[in-house]
Amino acid sequence: MRRLIFINRFFAPDHSATSQILSDLAFDLAGAGREVHLVTSRQIYDDPKAALPERETINGVDVHRVASTGFGRTALLGRSIDYVSFYRSVSRCLDELVRPGDIVIAKTDPPLMSVVARPVARRNGARLVNWLQDMYPETAVELGVPFMRGPVAASLAALRNATLREAAATVVVGDLMGRKVKTLGAPAERVHVIANWCNDEDIRRVAPADNPLRQQWDLDGKFVLGYSGNLGRAHEFATVLAAAERLRDEPRVVFLMIGGGKRFAELSAEVQARGLARAFRFLPYQARTLLSYSLGAADAHWVSLDPRLEGLMVPSKFYGIAAAGKPVVVIGDPNGELAQLVQRNDCGFAIAPGDSEALTAALRRLSETPQTVLEMGTRARHMLDAQFTRRQGLARWRRLLDQLDTA
């Protein structure tokens, strides 16, 4: 079997989403007897000043942590410097580590990691695999990131597209992303859709009456619409805020926000400014071991994605919600990846951004018919069990890597 070398900015013990999914896969492959190396930073997602050990072995995975600057995510310039310093350190590490026949798997944190890995893999006779969690520079262009238009974006896209054409495989996290990379030159036979996953074996539905967090967070007797995870630039909250305005005189409806991110504080400020504080609860990230309870504290959850970003990313929080057996309210393009899943499986609602009237109607329906909440939540879990479990995702990766071993 070929050696496997993964590249991502974060890895265990970090608990960010990309780290958790990568850690699951790396540990599974090492446990099955593969030689697995991980090139990563010494940082923690929410602590850029952390200094994890340069070398260690975790659950059979040989971890190589490289130096990088630690300005953090708050300012674009500092984040860019962090990225460049990480690229340079990774390139040096790969030059020493990669051997002929290895499989080098580049994720997309930081963006365009495959562009750095491609020349090293070519020089050293290794095979490159793209693992795309999102697509850059397109995402940056759509979000209006400074300097990411015109010639700069075109040049970066050309470099990235070269990796799509040459890679032994390109793994994407959704069907729409799969179609997108094919139009950019990735050979169709080398494009593989492997959705992200959650720790679904540990997440289960918890009845509200059996959930101590409901009482602790003053949610008893309420209908709760939850949000769990990062609320960033890709996510829209104006529709939820407008629905909360419409429901101002219905104190039984509460909006539970758990997590963080750039727009988390913005939403909190808007809630205060509009006098809606009674209807909202804002809480920090909860421990992964408490996910059944923190996700279960809500009767339903909402997920948002800017319609311009459909085909460029898929919010992975969707899978945890489904595992918890909760209806999913998708605020985004009604023809988007998650909206179509929800509609096909009748496990929630697809709401167009700005349609607060439709969102309000959906929340009233759910709050007035507990049986609908239960039935939609049950269908959400059945959908996950049929298509998106962690075991299924890991098995798809093993099959792909077995194919590359013999190709």
Side-chain angles (χ1 to χ4, degrees):
M1 292 187 289
R2 299 173 185 262
R3 295 196 319 162
L4 305 176
I5 301 171
F6 289 91
I7 313 165
N8 192 59
R9 194 157 50 120
F10 302 109
F11 185 67
D14 178 83
H15 291 297
S16 61
T18 60
S19 173
Q20 289 182 18
I21 291 166
L22 174 55
S23 299
D24 283 347
L25 178 57
F27 295 154
D28 179 76
L29 293 167
R34 306 280 313 221
E35 182 177 345
V36 181
H37 295 260
L38 206 302
V39 179
T40 186
S41 76
R42 301 184 65 189
Q43 300 173 354
I44 297 290
Y45 179 76
D46 54 2
D47 183 8
K49 301 301 183 184
L52 296 171
E54 291 184 13
R55 290 292 302 274
E56 65 178 320
T57 300
I58 307 176
N59 294 342
V61 175
D62 194 356
V63 182
H64 310 251
R65 293 196 179 93
V66 301
S68 61
T69 55
F71 291 100
R73 297 174 289 117
T74 54
L76 177 62
L77 178 60
R79 192 187 323 163
S80 300
I81 294 171
D82 287 351
Y83 288 173
V84 171
S85 68
F86 184 69
Y87 294 147
R88 295 183 65 179
S89 294
V90 166
S91 181
R92 289 194 296 266
C93 180
L94 290 177
D95 259 330
E96 297 178 0
L97 179 62
V98 176
R99 303 173 187 166
D102 288 348
I103 299 175
V104 178
I105 302 137
K107 290 195 80 175
T108 46
D109 186 5
L112 304 170
M113 199 64 247
S114 63
V115 173
V116 176
R118 173 183 170 236
V120 180
R122 292 181 72 183
R123 282 196 304 270
N124 294 18
R127 313 191 76 187
L128 176 66
V129 173
N130 291 302
W131 186 1
L132 304 182
Q133 295 291 315
D134 41 39
M135 294 192 63
Y136 276 77
E138 291 86 351
T139 296
V141 170
E142 294 295 348
L143 292 177
V145 174
F147 314 114
M148 276 295 183
R149 290 189 179 275
V152 172
S155 298
L156 293 175
L159 290 170
R160 190 273 323 278
N161 292 347
T163 75
L164 296 178
R165 291 191 299 271
E166 294 183 17
T170 293
V171 176
V172 296
V173 294
D175 291 330
L176 296 183
M177 191 185 291
R179 295 177 202 168
K180 176 74 173 176
V181 298
K182 290 173 188 175
T183 67
L184 296 173
E189 69 276 8
R190 296 187 215 157
V191 176
H192 305 266
V193 179
I194 303 179
N196 285 337
W197 55 81
C198 64
N199 54 328
D200 56 275
E201 298 100 329
D202 299 326
I203 299 175
R204 57 186 176 83
R205 183 183 179 276
V206 178
D210 299 328
N211 193 334
L213 296 183
R214 293 274 299 196
Q215 182 175 11
Q216 183 179 328
W217 294 341
D218 191 24
L219 300 174
D220 282 346
K222 307 289 189 182
F223 172 82
V224 182
L225 180 68
Y227 186 93
S228 181
N230 179 65
L231 188 67
R233 297 182 65 176
H235 310 123
E236 186 260 16
F237 63 68
T239 309
V240 169
L241 198 59
E245 292 264 27
R246 289 173 175 269
L247 295 164
R248 181 188 294 272
D249 296 326
E250 300 179 37
R252 184 169 169 269
V253 179
V254 171
F255 299 84
L256 174 64
M257 302 292 301
I258 301 173
K262 178 179 175 59
R263 307 210 70 195
F264 204 81
E266 293 176 20
L267 174 58
S268 178
E270 283 287 339
V271 166
Q272 293 294 331
R274 299 187 187 202
L276 294 169
R278 186 179 64 177
F280 280 80
R281 309 280 191 277
F282 289 90
L283 295 164
Y285 286 104
Q286 302 296 300
R288 195 181 189 193
T289 54
L290 292 177
L291 270 177
S292 289
Y293 294 98
S294 61
L295 291 171
D299 297 286
H301 283 259
W302 63 282
V303 175
S304 172
L305 183 65
D306 187 321
R308 297 173 297 172
L309 304 182
E310 281 292 346
L312 304 181
M313 62 176 66
V314 178
S316 58
K317 59 176 65 69
F318 175 80
Y319 305 105
I321 298 167
K326 299 295 180 179
V328 188
V329 178
V330 177
I331 301 173
D333 185 346
N335 295 313
E337 189 94 29
L338 298 185
Q340 288 295 301
L341 274 174
V342 163
Q343 292 175 93
R344 282 201 305 270
N345 292 278
D346 192 17
C347 61
F349 298 89
I351 307 292
D355 195 350
S356 61
E357 183 177 357
L359 177 57
T360 302
L363 297 183
R364 284 187 173 133
R365 179 184 169 191
L366 291 172
S367 67
E368 293 166 2
T369 53
Q371 188 62 25
T372 300
V373 173
L374 178 61
E375 291 172 356
M376 284 188 168
T378 299
R379 288 193 287 268
R381 179 70 203 212
H382 287 168
M383 172 197 65
L384 180 113
D385 288 339
Q387 304 174 60
F388 301 117
T389 67
R390 179 167 61 175
R391 289 185 181 182
Q392 291 165 343
L394 295 174
R396 290 173 185 130
W397 265 103
R398 287 195 298 269
R399 286 195 295 271
L400 170 59
L401 294 170
D402 286 346
Q403 292 170 13
L404 295 178
D405 277 337
T406 58

